[in-house]
Amino acid sequence: MDSASETCRIDVWLWRARFFKTRALSAKFAESGLLRLERFGQTARIQKASHTVRIGDRLTFAIGARLVDVRVLDMGERRGPASEAQGLYEPCE
């Protein structure tokens, strides 16, 4: 696996994983500061759409009344069908 496929912009990843309908909406959400990223046991607030996400990162955010807590499994190459998008992450307990 090359380094280009090991990271992805957070707005692109959220869009590919189908949490948001458009990339513009995912970028706006990433810039809102409501997204938390945990990497190597350290938690950080994301405030830029260009922030990178890596395999193994944990993302926590709320969409409406639903709390989303997922671990990144893959970057994906495109915005595919829902079944493909669900393979990009796994729910955390």
Side-chain angles (χ1 to χ4, degrees), residues 34-89:
L34 299 174
L35 180 63
R36 304 288 186 270
L37 178 131
E38 183 180 329
R39 181 182 293 159
F40 304 124
Q42 296 182 347
T43 304
R45 180 184 295 187
I46 304 300
Q47 294 183 319
K48 291 185 177 182
S50 62
H51 195 282
T52 57
V53 65
R54 298 178 183 161
I55 294 172
D57 286 352
R58 183 175 179 174
L59 300 172
T60 306
F61 55 97
I63 298 178
R66 181 177 67 140
L67 180 64
V68 179
D69 188 13
V70 295
R71 183 160 318 280
V72 177
L73 298 178
D74 195 9
M75 295 297 108
E77 295 180 16
R78 66 187 182 117
R79 180 179 165 95
S83 59
E84 185 178 313
Q86 289 171 349
L88 300 181
Y89 61 90

Side-chain angles (χ1 to χ4, degrees), residues 1 15 24-26 29 35 41 43 51:
M1 185 180 282
W15 174 68
L25 286 174
S26 65
F29 183 80
L35 180 63
T43 304
H51 195 282

